[in-house]
Amino acid sequence: MAEASRWHLGGTPKHKLRYREDVEIRTTLQELLLYSIFLINLCILTFGMVNPHMYYLNKVMSSLFLDTSVAGEERTNFKSIRSITDFWKFMEGPLLDGLYWDSWYNNENLYDLKSSRIYYENILLGLPRVRQLKVRNGTCKVHAFFRSLMDECYDKYTSKNEDMADFGLKQHTEWKYSSPHMNSPWHWGFAGVYRDGGYIFTLSKSKSETLNKFINLRMNSWITRGTRVIFIDFSVYNANVNLFCIIRLVAEFPATGGILTSWQFYSVKLLRYVSFYDYFIASCEIIFCIFIIVFTIQEIKKLKEFKFAYFKSIWNWLELLLLVLCFLTVFFSLYSNMKIYHMLGQLLRNTEKYSDFYFLAYWHIYYNNIIAITIFFAWIKIFKFISFNKTMSQLSSTLSRSLNINVIIFFQFTQFRIVLGDFNFAGIQQANRILGPIYFITFIFFVFFVLLNMFLAIINDTYSEVKADYSIGRRPDFQLGKMIKKVRITENKDLAEKARREGFDEKEIQSAEQMKKWKERLEKKYYSTEIQDDYQTVTQQEFRDLFLYAVELEKELHYVSLKLNRVMRKVSALQY
């Protein structure tokens, strides 16, 4: 027996099992410690790129160019543009006033200005650019019934419908088509997806010359029925906070008529390594790359060891996803940095032309987006180690087991909230056309899924406690119910005495009392709320009582039918 007790589970010694458990726990703790360092480093790397001044720079710029009203018309600003007339009023009013800050507030030339300084602190880089895309006439068909009224038809914008012919005065670049650049990103608007190129002109450094340019374009109908979108692009740099703000104002002219306005304000840190804190972030980036190499080696070893069984674990799939996201993060970082250092010097030297910083901001924003997704999934992996905590392990098991029913409840509840309009989806979509909806759906799913599970868990736990108290006899004292039963017994005795006084014989009274007893016994057996089982067997005695009750009931029905008139006269007396 002593020898047998030393062996466990098919001949494995207990001390070897204990040793394996200790090794597994030690290995898991080491993995948790290493991953915690990686997570802290990733958080520093992510939030180190975020500057509080980005929000304030976006706020002041958006307030200047979006909320400033036309002189004499308080309700007309860029957000409220609905017609071509409103658009030209904005171009000749708030846009010019916002772009050209030639002097101090007391008309004193404080700086030797080589370019405008918006709010006296933000240097306008290069010259602003205005770009238009058009569609050709005849890209759609007019119905035969209306051809006598309208013979022109301009469809929505697509690259196939785009008009590339010169028009108007045909003298300058604003009247001649410019081919798009191959590497320029497309713009995703409300009414279409627009590519680069089109009819382009840059503004002058002089405010008066720019105003005359706008008046000339307006008088010569630069905006036509074929116009589908106009872009206003410019960039500023604030040396105080080392931030670039790339601004794009968009006015779409859909085929339905009217104007849809949208905007983009990207405050980015293109010059990344300036202060000591920036170099600290650079060291975190190096550590991040080292972690990627270490984790890649670990996953390769696991894959060689477990082979196809490796893919059966959801945590292994999460590891692979994290590695892919980490490699994408490194790729975007290297590509954006190379583009920045290659193009930034050229853009800053071209002060007499439009400096296209939008391309640099585009890739920088993609880098920020990919690292945000990476840190999201990195925090999800932390649930892999919740087995060390009993409460979190129970919560995880509860959520996983109740997944099916709660997904159904969640979608019903969320659809009801959407019908009520209890969300600000427009603002989220305006921030980012792709990640905004993804963030909205993901946030709603996880938050409400967890909250609903917690609510149902509390209700279920409370119900279980009450049910357990009832099972051990710990029930409320139903004094009112007992009183009602006593009253009913008293009333039954009083009814029997009244029946005797009214002339009923003892045989009739005893038969009625016997039938009532049989009825109460059967109701208690089959209709009692205290009995929890849905199905109960019938004994021979109970079957005999049920048969006698049915026979006696048939006799009584026949007897009652003969004395119906007598009974009807006595009903009132028996009830009162």
Side-chain angles (χ1 to χ4, degrees), residues 248-378:
R248 168 169 284 184
L249 306 179
V250 184
E252 296 181 70
F253 299 75
T256 57
I259 298 178
L260 303 175
T261 58
S262 59
W263 50 87
Q264 292 177 344
F265 291 84
Y266 292 146
S267 290
V268 294
K269 188 175 182 180
L270 299 180
L271 301 175
R272 298 181 59 184
Y273 307 112
V274 177
S275 63
F276 290 106
Y277 181 73
D278 296 335
Y279 288 106
F280 170 72
I281 297 298
S283 64
C284 292
E285 292 176 348
I286 297 174
I287 296 173
F288 177 75
C289 295
I290 295 175
F291 272 113
I292 293 177
I293 297 174
V294 172
F295 290 153
T296 303
I297 295 174
Q298 289 181 351
E299 295 308 310
I300 292 176
K301 289 182 179 179
K302 289 182 182 179
L303 187 59
K304 289 183 177 180
E305 180 179 357
F306 298 103
K307 297 181 179 179
F308 291 104
Y310 172 87
F311 298 100
K312 295 182 179 180
S313 173
I314 189 174
W315 298 113
N316 293 335
W317 282 102
L318 182 60
E319 292 278 4
L320 294 178
L321 177 61
L322 276 175
L323 286 177
V324 171
L325 291 174
C326 288
F327 280 112
L328 285 176
T329 301
V330 174
F331 168 76
F332 275 102
S333 177
L334 293 176
Y335 183 80
S336 62
N337 285 334
M338 288 190 298
K339 285 295 182 181
I340 288 171
Y341 284 107
H342 180 261
M343 299 177 60
L344 189 59
Q346 298 178 3
L347 293 173
L348 293 177
R349 286 192 296 268
N350 296 330
T351 59
E352 302 296 329
K353 298 180 180 179
Y354 167 69
S355 299
D356 190 5
F357 287 90
Y358 185 82
F359 178 79
L360 300 180
Y362 179 83
W363 283 103
H364 193 81
I365 294 298
Y366 263 85
Y367 169 69
N368 292 344
N369 292 340
I370 196 68
I371 199 171
I373 297 174
T374 302
I375 197 172
F376 171 76
F377 284 103

